[in-house]
């Protein structure tokens, strides 16, 4: 009896898998769990000494570059070098973000194997939202730096064998690649949320509304901080405290203030993350832009009420039946708080029920099968 052949896939994933900083790491972690019996993954990602993935290499240097636009260009060589150290011939090279497309193109060309790119973010869309890879795009250096990132993204899309888009946001923007784009969203595993531990959240008020995610203006964190908090609500911001302080200095040119009902806690992961979301009465996601928004899906699974801006990818699974809408302004968030507070228990239960039904449509088992189908299609060409 011969052993079943397992395809080998080199994965470039600019994130951690154990304690991910974004949907990139969180989504690959789930794919790995579901496909590891059929696929040998060789992963290059952020330094992650506690990663449970056997074949894992970290991109790291002996020095630090604080400028994201510049370090983003340097990282391509690091991903290539670390991937080559696996000393294997892969069946597929798979890049999970535009920031590593160029490295993936070169590796696929070197090994003469199919190239799959997942679009979870885009420098082109970020630029449309004034989120740039340079400090001053009007300067010569800034304009060239921005152009370099746009060019590398476009180069990757042109060279890709297949492109996976996590939402229709990218499918519409890059319609010239319709012939090779497949939309496969992120998902959720409800079994991960079935047994949360009871925890006490900060504050002594009746209702707890939680924000968890990256500390960034694009996430609407400024509107959360400035929104009026009802007297019976505690708002809990889970994130890197130093990032919150720095954002506040940069945005408002003053020190971060505290006010009644506003609490800051550290970002949590794993079971603690499940416990946090499950303990909340509501999860708030007032993003200005969101390619998919995996936190929104996890918030539905936690059986908390979801308050969301429903922009971009969020609108593909959040609606009036399973969430409360908010504008991305302090006034809009204040109004959303009021909508939440006047909901009856029956209305909340119905909204949570609709949210769990949505989760069933996005089960990671089915999402993983869609990825496997793409893998097989490029190998069997």
């Amino acid at each position: 009896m011969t052993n079943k052949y397992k395809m080998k896939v080199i994965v470039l994933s600019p994130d951690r898998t154990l304690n991910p900083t974004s949907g990139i790491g969180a989504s690959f972690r789930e794919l790995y769990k579901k496909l590891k019996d059929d696929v040998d993954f060789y992963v290059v990602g952020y330094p992650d000494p506690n990663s449970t993935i056997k074949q894992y290499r970290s991109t790291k240097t002996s020095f630090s570059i604080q400028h994201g636009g510049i370090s983003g260009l340097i990282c391509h060589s690091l991903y290539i070098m670390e991937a080559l150290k696996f000393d294997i011939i892969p069946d597929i090279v798979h890049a999970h973000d535009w920031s590593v497309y160029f490295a993936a193109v070169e590796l696929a060309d070197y090994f003469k194997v199919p190239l799959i790119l997942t679009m979870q973010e885009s420098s082109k869309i970020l630029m449309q939202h004034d989120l740039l890879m340079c400090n001053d795009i009007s300067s010569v250096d800034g304009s060239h730096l921005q152009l370099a990132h746009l060019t590398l993204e476009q180069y990757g899309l042109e060279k890709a064998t297949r492109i996976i888009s996590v939402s229709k946001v990218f499918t519409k923007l890059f319609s010239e690649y319709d012939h090779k784009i497949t939309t496969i969203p992120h998902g959720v595993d409800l079994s991960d949320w079935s047994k949360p531990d009871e925890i006490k959240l900060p504050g002594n008020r009746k209702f707890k509304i939680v924000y968890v995610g990256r500390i960034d203006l694009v996430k609407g964190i400024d509107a959360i901080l400035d929104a009026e908090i009802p007297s019976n609500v505690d708002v809990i911001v889970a994130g890197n405290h130093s990032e919150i302080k720095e954002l506040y200095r940069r945005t408002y040119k003053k020190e971060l203030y505290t006010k009644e009902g506003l609490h800051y806690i550290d970002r949590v992961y794993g079971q603690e993350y499940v416990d946090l979301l499950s303990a909340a009465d509501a999860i708030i996601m007032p993003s200005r832009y969101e390619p998919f928004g995996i936190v929104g899906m996890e918030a539905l699974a936690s059986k908390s009420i979801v308050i969301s801006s429903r922009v971009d990818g969020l609108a593909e699974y959040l609606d009036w039946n399973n969430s409360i809408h908010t504008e991305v302004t302090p006034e809009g968030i204040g109004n959303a708080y009021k909508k939440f507070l006047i909901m009856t228990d029956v209305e909340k239960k119905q909204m949570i029920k609709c949210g769990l039904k949505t989760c069933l449509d996005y089960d990671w088992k089915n999402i993983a099968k869609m990825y496997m189908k793409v893998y097989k299609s490029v190998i069997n060409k």
Side-chain angles (χ1 to χ4, degrees):
M1 182 177 178
T2 58
N3 291 329
K4 181 176 114 176
Y5 176 75
K6 292 174 70 173
M7 69 174 72
K8 298 179 177 65
V9 179
I10 287 181
V11 168
L12 307 186
S13 177
D15 199 353
R16 297 190 297 267
T17 53
L18 187 64
N19 296 326
T21 61
S22 69
I24 297 170
S27 60
F28 177 69
R29 179 190 60 203
E30 296 303 319
L31 288 174
Y32 175 79
K33 285 159 58 178
K34 299 296 185 290
L35 297 179
K36 63 182 180 180
D37 290 337
D38 299 301
V39 180
D40 276 332
F41 289 108
Y42 295 81
V43 186
V44 183
Y46 283 179
D48 196 356
N50 297 316
S51 175
T52 56
I53 297 174
K54 183 178 179 181
Q55 295 100 356
Y56 189 94
R57 300 196 68 86
S58 300
T59 55
K60 57 184 177 182
T61 62
S62 57
F63 56 88
S64 175
I65 297 176
Q66 299 300 319
H67 194 295
I70 295 174
S71 63
L73 295 180
I74 293 174
C75 82
H76 291 283
S77 61
L78 299 176
Y79 277 89
I80 292 171
M81 288 189 295
E82 292 302 322
L84 292 175
K85 290 177 184 177
F86 285 124
D87 196 24
I88 57 135
I89 298 177
D91 296 295
I92 296 170
V93 173
H94 187 173
H96 280 254
D97 185 60
W98 70 271
S99 61
V100 290
Y101 282 180
F102 179 68
V105 169
E106 296 305 303
L107 285 167
D109 183 62
Y110 176 79
F111 289 114
K112 306 302 179 189
V113 297
L115 170 64
I116 296 176
L117 305 180
T118 295
M119 300 191 73
Q120 307 199 50
E121 191 54 274
S122 163
S123 61
K124 185 175 181 179
I125 294 183
L126 289 172
M127 187 175 180
Q128 291 176 352
H129 288 269
D130 295 322
L131 299 168
L132 306 174
M133 304 307 295
C134 59
N135 294 321
D136 182 7
I137 198 170
S138 65
S139 68
V140 174
D141 290 344
S143 63
H144 280 292
L145 185 57
Q146 185 67 32
L147 180 61
H149 283 276
L150 292 170
T151 301
L152 292 180
E153 177 179 38
Q154 195 68 32
Y155 177 66
L157 296 174
E158 290 173 2
K159 294 292 185 180
T161 310
R162 290 288 295 276
I163 301 167
I164 296 172
S165 169
V166 299
S167 73
K168 295 174 184 175
V169 173
F170 303 116
T171 310
K172 293 175 182 177
L173 183 65
F174 296 98
S175 58
E176 66 267 36
Y177 301 112
D178 269 350
H179 61 288
K180 58 181 178 180
I181 289 185
T182 300
T183 301
I184 304 179
H186 291 324
V188 70
D189 188 339
L190 283 177
S191 65
D192 292 339
W193 299 83
S194 61
K195 295 181 179 179
D197 294 325
E198 288 190 19
I199 62 170
K200 186 179 186 309
L201 297 181
N204 298 312
R205 298 179 178 187
K206 182 177 181 180
F207 298 104
K208 311 295 183 183
I209 298 179
V210 170
Y211 168 82
V212 59
R214 197 168 73 248
I215 304 303
D216 200 313
L217 292 177
V218 74
K219 299 295 187 180
I221 184 66
D222 54 314
I224 294 175
L225 296 178
D226 286 349
E228 184 176 347
I229 301 175
S231 59
N232 56 348
V233 170
D234 283 308
V235 173
I236 296 130
V237 176
N240 186 304
H241 202 179
S242 63
E243 286 181 358
I244 300 174
K245 287 183 176 180
E246 177 56 31
L247 176 87
Y248 211 80
R249 288 192 195 103
R250 190 170 65 247
T251 306
Y252 300 99
K253 310 301 181 189
K254 59 183 180 182
E255 293 300 310
L256 178 67
Y257 69 90
T258 58
K259 60 183 178 183
E260 289 295 320
L262 181 62
H263 310 272
Y264 302 101
I265 62 174
D266 291 334
R267 183 79 183 265
V268 293
Y269 303 93
Q271 185 61 42
E272 288 182 302
Y273 177 74
V274 171
D275 298 341
L276 171 64
L277 267 62
S278 300
D281 296 290
I283 310 296
I284 185 162
M285 287 186 69
S287 301
R288 293 183 168 91
Y289 156 63
E290 198 69 68
F292 180 82
I294 198 169
V295 171
M297 186 64 65
E298 293 166 336
L300 294 178
S302 74
K303 301 179 184 178
S304 297
I305 297 297
V306 178
I307 302 173
S308 168
S309 55
R310 298 197 200 127
V311 296
D312 306 313
L314 290 170
E316 294 178 22
Y317 65 90
L318 293 178
D319 56 30
W320 295 99
N321 294 311
N322 60 18
S323 63
I324 296 172
H325 178 260
T326 182
E327 299 294 335
V328 194
T329 63
E331 296 75 21
I333 289 175
N335 290 332
Y337 290 162
K338 291 175 184 176
K339 291 177 188 175
F340 164 74
L341 290 174
I342 64 173
M343 288 181 74
T344 65
D345 289 342
V346 172
E347 289 172 331
K348 289 177 183 177
K349 287 178 180 178
Q350 181 59 30
M351 185 171 281
I352 290 168
K353 182 179 178 181
C354 289
L356 292 174
K357 185 175 182 298
T358 299
C359 292
L360 293 175
D361 295 332
Y362 288 81
D363 188 284
W364 269 120
K365 289 181 182 177
N366 297 326
I367 303 298
K369 288 177 183 177
M370 296 168 74
Y371 269 83
M372 196 65 185
K373 186 177 179 180
V374 172
Y375 282 174
K376 290 180 178 179
S377 72
V378 298
I379 288 179
N380 295 332
K381 273 192 173 183

